[in-house]
Amino acid sequence: QVQLVESGGGSVQAGGSLRLSCAASGYTGSNYCMGWFRQAPGKEREGLAAIYTISGSTYYADTILGRFTISLDNAKNTLYLQMNSLTPEDTAMYYCAAGPPAWYGGSWQPQNVRYWGQGTQVTVSS
């Protein structure tokens, strides 16, 4: 059983940065796909970035490529998402997620996620 608890959301002005954290447990010893989704009001949940826990391979959606960086600190059992150059379009609820390796065709679909965190709100003002 994987448990995920996000933190680090908040409000920031356009052009600013935030770092999201996800305290994870129960994933060691297995090759999980762990990463981040977001969902803005009225929009579908979107996979942003993922990392495979054994290989360390990282994957990014085109919408955030070059601005966001995912990392996993196994010593601290914590997943991070460093977000730079934020714009109002990045405003959403951000979710930590874990599941079997499932980054295909440049995306990670919500139906392939087995575990979700509770979410943390990110608001970017212009």
Side-chain angles (χ1 to χ4, degrees):
Q1 181 79 10
V2 176
Q3 295 185 322
L4 307 168
V5 180
E6 302 99 332
S7 60
S11 297
V12 65
Q13 289 194 324
S17 299
L18 281 174
R19 189 177 76 161
L20 305 183
S21 300
C22 175
S25 62
Y27 71 92
T28 56
S30 299
N31 191 32
Y32 278 101
C33 179
M34 295 183 67
W36 297 91
F37 283 72
R38 71 183 177 190
Q39 189 167 20
K43 294 189 176 181
E44 294 184 350
R45 193 165 293 192
E46 172 191 17
L48 300 176
I51 186 167
Y52 285 6
T53 57
I54 298 296
S55 68
S57 298
T58 57
Y59 303 89
Y60 295 94
D62 289 343
T63 52
I64 54 90
L65 188 62
R67 297 191 299 124
F68 293 8
T69 302
I70 191 170
S71 60
L72 176 62
D73 187 333
N74 285 309
K76 296 183 178 180
N77 292 335
T78 302
L79 182 72
Y80 299 99
L81 185 68
Q82 177 67 44
M83 305 187 295
N84 299 327
S85 303
L86 287 162
T87 73
E89 288 69 37
D90 295 313
T91 295
M93 185 70 79
Y94 284 69
Y95 297 90
C96 183
W103 190 280
Y104 304 125
S107 66
W108 188 15
Q109 298 302 312
Q111 58 265 32
N112 294 324
V113 172
R114 188 171 295 169
Y115 305 101
W116 293 99
Q118 83 284 359
T120 186
Q121 177 68 36
V122 171
T123 302
V124 184
S125 59
S126 58

